[in-house]
Each structure stands twice: as structure tokens, then as C-alpha cells.
Amino acid sequence: MRHPTRQLASYIDGEMAPSRQQAIEAHLSRCDSCRAAAAEERRLRSRLRSLKVPQPGPDLSARITGRLAAAQSSCLESSSGPGAVRDASTLDRRSHALAAAGALAAAGAVLLGGAYIAGSILAVPAQTGTRAAMAAGWEEVSGNGSLAADQLQALRAHGWSCPELTDLGLSLESARSLRVHGRPAVEMTFTADGERLRLVEQHPLPGEDGQPVINAVTGRSVAADGFSAAGPQAGAAVFGSDEYPGQKVVAAGNVTYTFESSLPVKSLPRAVEELSMLESARLARSGADPEPMERIVRGLTMFTRAGWSL
């Protein structure tokens, strides 16, 4: 089977025949690049659902009405010469056209603003040089420890992942900020059908290159806990131990995720796979900051793929 890149959106939406759905699932089970693309698609869908599109300013309607009135006045003055006859229906059509154009321009401005933000979600921070900004963002948002939904969104704007995992059927129960080995971290607790999944995202501080990977559950290095890396050497590393089946650690670039599940055979494998594939895809991409137009085009593309419309 060829890579089903163009069909991933329909696959994630469950809009395929069962036989085709099973064929794609079989392909994903053996194709790392397509699994990474599917994980990225799910992440983007989740982010887009929570995206706050900027609201138009309070004076938008007044400005549109003012421009329309000025345009109508200009049309009347230019047609008021001797013998000139203005068809009222023509003026009416022009008025409606101008109003529609003004409304479309306003809606377009809001859409492009939202597309720029959505495109920025995809922007992957460079693997170096962003640690100070992320730590500063954490200090600014963390508050007294407990984190609300809007604070998690603010952390994402500073470059934190704060994964939502709603596509895995998990519901966020609580979130808080903490430090792991002196490093800024965010702990999120999810629940679903009797399972409790704890996820800790931690980021190193500036100048901490080459530091050991820390298991946030124990506060020790994965080596001290007897964890070993599993899977391919390239991309994100997944650490685990048969002695602690409910704990997994994913390390990639500037981020480490620690998982602890009360039911290791349920959501834990899928959550680990999704984040490890996502971070592997991030590592493979350029960290260059895209141009504004590139962000807008990328955001509009995601709106189209997600079924958004004006």
C-alpha cells in the first residue's frame, strides 16, 4: 500500500469504509512516517478546536458603515451633472456590493488572523536558543501551582506542548506547575474509564546540554531507575522497564515527558506512541522561523483540512 497521506484526515474523522480504515491502520502499524503524520494531524485538530480566533474591534461595524456611506455619497455626486440619470437599482446593487465587500474584508481579516495563529502552532521552536523564553513563560504563567485551561493555553503560546490527549478518549482532571530537578515542568492528570494517567512535561534550563534524562515520578535519572531505551535510535527515545510497566519516559531535544498510568495496558501505549512520533517529527523539521505569509498559508491549509468555513 502506498503512503495514504491525502487520506489521513478522512481516516482520523472516521469517514471511510471499514475495509479501507483497516487497510490504513495496518499501514500505520508498520510505517513510522505515516504514524508521525497521523499524530501531528490529531494534535492539530485538538489545537484548532481550542483556538481562539481574534474578535473584531468594537468599531468595526461603524467603520464599514462609514465607508459605505462615503462611497454612496461619492457615487451620487459624480452622477449629479446636467442630464444625468442614475438608475436606483444600479445604486442599490452597488450598495449591496460595497457592503458585501466590506463584510468580506472584515471576515477575511479575522480569518487571516486566525490562520496566522494556527500556522504559528505548527512552528517548531529551534532546538537551542528558546529555553530562556520557555522558562520565562513558565514563570509568568505558573502562578500558585494549579493551572486552569487558559493558563495551559498561554503556556502553549510560549512553546510548551501541554498535550490534550482528547483524541485518545482521555479527559483532563487537573494540571499544575512544578519543578523536576530544578527544571520547570507541568503535570497533567487525565482520567478515562477507571484509568488515571499522569503526564509530566519538563524542559531543561539554558546551558543544560548533556544532562541525564530524569524520570519525574522518582526524581532520578532513567539509568538509576534501570530504564532502557526501546525502539529506533533516531528521533525521540522511549525509556521503560519491565519492573515498572506503568511508567514510561519519552525524551527528545528540549523536552522530556514522563508517564505514569494506573492501567498500563489501556491508554499508556497510545499516548507514548503519539508523543514520541510527534517529537520525532519535530526533530526532523527545520527550526527556522517561517515568514508570516507562510504561516498564514499553512494555517489556512489546516482550516481547510479540518473542515472550517466562514
Side-chain angles (χ1 to χ4, degrees):
M1 179 180 184
R2 299 178 64 181
H3 297 292
T5 306
R6 296 184 178 181
Q7 302 173 35
L8 285 178
S10 298
Y11 163 74
I12 291 172
D13 289 337
E15 297 176 348
M16 290 184 162
S19 58
R20 187 62 179 168
Q21 193 93 354
Q22 292 172 4
I24 292 180
E25 288 175 354
H27 178 83
L28 293 178
S29 68
R30 59 179 181 270
C31 179
D32 290 346
S33 63
C34 286
R35 282 205 309 276
E40 183 82 339
E41 183 78 21
R42 291 190 182 97
R43 170 179 173 266
L44 291 172
R45 297 293 183 87
S46 181
R47 290 289 181 88
L48 286 173
R49 283 194 293 269
S50 63
L51 183 66
K52 295 181 179 179
V53 179
Q55 295 296 318
D59 62 336
L60 179 62
S61 298
R63 286 190 285 119
I64 293 175
T65 303
R67 290 186 182 183
L68 177 59
Q72 288 175 325
S73 176
S74 175
C75 289
L76 288 171
E77 290 175 0
S78 63
S79 63
S80 60
V85 177
R86 174 61 60 182
D87 186 348
S89 63
T90 302
L91 277 176
D92 186 60
R93 285 196 299 271
R94 285 194 178 184
S95 299
H96 284 296
L98 288 169
L104 182 60
V110 174
L111 176 63
L112 291 178
Y116 180 83
I117 296 174
S120 300
I121 289 174
L122 290 174
V124 180
Q127 293 304 308
T128 59
T130 61
R131 296 177 181 178
M134 293 182 70
W138 181 87
E139 292 284 357
E140 175 187 331
V141 175
S142 62
N144 60 3
S146 179
L147 296 172
D150 59 336
Q151 291 175 302
L152 291 175
Q153 192 68 22
L155 284 170
R156 294 181 186 114
H158 284 288
W160 289 71
S161 292
C162 299
E164 295 170 275
L165 305 182
T166 53
D167 290 328
L168 301 183
L170 294 166
S171 299
L172 179 64
E173 181 182 74
S174 63
R176 68 185 182 101
S177 60
L178 69 160
R179 289 188 180 273
V180 175
H181 250 236
R183 303 169 182 171
V186 170
E187 177 187 277
M188 306 175 71
T189 301
F190 301 88
T191 57
D193 300 327
E195 179 185 17
R196 184 177 298 274
L197 177 67
R198 177 190 178 200
L199 168 61
V200 180
E201 175 184 351
Q202 53 178 296
H203 290 267
L205 294 168
E208 284 195 333
D209 295 306
Q211 295 298 308
V213 176
I214 300 298
N215 178 355
V217 174
T218 64
R220 299 187 296 264
S221 70
V222 291
D225 284 336
F227 283 29
S228 58
Q233 295 300 311
V238 180
F239 297 90
S241 168
D242 292 338
E243 187 176 354
Y244 304 101
Q247 296 179 20
K248 297 289 182 183
V249 179
V250 176
N254 273 350
V255 62
T256 299
Y257 302 102
T258 300
F259 297 85
E260 182 181 38
S261 173
S262 61
L263 298 174
V265 298
K266 289 195 67 177
S267 302
L268 179 61
R270 292 187 298 154
V272 168
E273 180 184 41
E274 178 160 332
L275 288 185
S276 62
M277 288 297 150
L278 171 61
E279 295 302 333
S280 295
R282 279 181 161 183
L283 289 172
R285 291 159 63 179
S286 169
D289 188 38
E291 294 296 323
M293 184 54 65
E294 180 183 342
R295 291 192 181 192
I296 290 174
V297 171
R298 189 169 55 189
L300 288 173
T301 300
M302 290 314 306
F303 284 167
T304 303
R305 289 166 62 188
W308 283 40
S309 62
L310 280 175

